[in-house]
Amino acid sequence: MAKSSTWSWAARAFFASLGMPTTLAELDVDAADIPKMLPTLAQNKGVPLAPSRS
């Protein structure tokens, strides 16, 4: 298993064990809602310039 997928699984399992949502569907976010969220993402976090290489 690749390092990133192992981390993703471990992080998801950890947050799920705390009872936190781990998917957008668990937050009742539909695909149609995502474009509405993008301006807020850009304002609060910024837009990545390149993919992560970690």
Side-chain angles (χ1 to χ4, degrees):
M1 189 177 294
K3 183 178 180 181
S4 62
S5 62
T6 301
W7 165 249
S8 177
W9 174 85
R12 186 173 292 191
F14 171 72
F15 289 116
S17 76
L18 298 175
M20 296 178 68
T22 59
T23 65
L24 291 175
E26 291 175 357
L27 293 170
D28 294 325
V29 175
D30 295 322
D33 296 327
I34 293 173
K36 297 178 213 169
M37 298 166 65
L38 294 178
T40 303
L41 172 67
Q43 291 170 358
N44 295 330
K45 179 149 172 106
V47 178
L49 299 176
S52 174
R53 295 183 181 192
S54 53

